[in-house]
Amino acid sequence: MTREFYWVRVKGEDADALAEVTTNSKGVRQFMLPGRFLPRYEGQVDIVARVPAPGEPLSPGDEAAVLDRAVERMGWPEIRAYEAELARGQDVAEDAGGFMLRAVRRLFGLPPNRSRIQTYRDAARALVRRAA
């Protein structure tokens, strides 16, 4: 039995939903939707987009779909968080790329990434340590 996730639209409904899709040994796919007890079958739903598995490389089409969904979901709270990060400015312990990535992460509703390596100097040290 395989397990995947898809954005689907149930025929006759307007909204998309994230469905867990299982395929049994006979090749029959069942779409389990949140809040519904009975599965839907292939003819009852239209597949909008496949959700890549964690760690799976994204195709250009997948990347575009992910970005489109993120932009559709974006609202004033995310925009204000982005502006707040820009107004906060660059920290003395991070480079310009880290500063911009922190702001963009906030725009997409993600927490600021606090990695251990924040400057080019620290990154170079880590590379030398790894190579040694």
Side-chain angles (χ1 to χ4, degrees):
M1 182 190 297
T2 62
R3 184 176 166 222
E4 298 177 299
F5 292 91
Y6 285 87
W7 283 103
V8 298
R9 179 170 294 151
V10 176
K11 293 190 188 267
E13 295 182 10
D14 292 331
D16 295 346
L18 184 64
E20 178 182 353
V21 182
T22 56
T23 307
N24 65 16
S25 60
K26 296 179 183 177
V28 176
R29 295 199 304 177
Q30 293 183 335
F31 296 79
M32 289 303 298
L33 297 158
R36 308 214 182 164
F37 295 110
L38 298 174
R40 300 286 191 254
Y41 292 93
E42 202 116 16
Q44 298 174 314
V45 297
D46 292 323
I47 295 175
V48 176
R50 182 177 166 278
V51 178
E56 179 182 333
L58 296 176
S59 72
D62 289 338
E63 287 177 353
V66 167
L67 285 173
D68 281 344
R69 289 202 178 282
V71 169
E72 285 176 14
R73 195 181 63 230
M74 201 176 292
W76 283 111
E78 290 83 10
I79 293 169
R80 288 191 182 106
Y82 172 74
E83 290 172 341
E85 288 295 331
L86 289 178
R88 185 175 141 207
Q90 183 175 342
D91 191 286
V92 295
E94 67 186 351
D95 58 28
F99 162 60
M100 286 307 297
L101 284 176
R102 177 170 42 91
V104 169
R105 286 179 64 83
R106 296 297 304 202
L107 180 62
F108 284 93
L110 300 170
N113 190 11
R114 290 288 179 198
S115 65
R116 292 178 300 140
I117 299 172
Q118 295 182 348
T119 64
Y120 290 119
R121 186 176 293 145
D122 292 338
R125 283 187 189 124
L127 276 172
V128 169
R129 263 188 251 120
R130 223 177 293 149

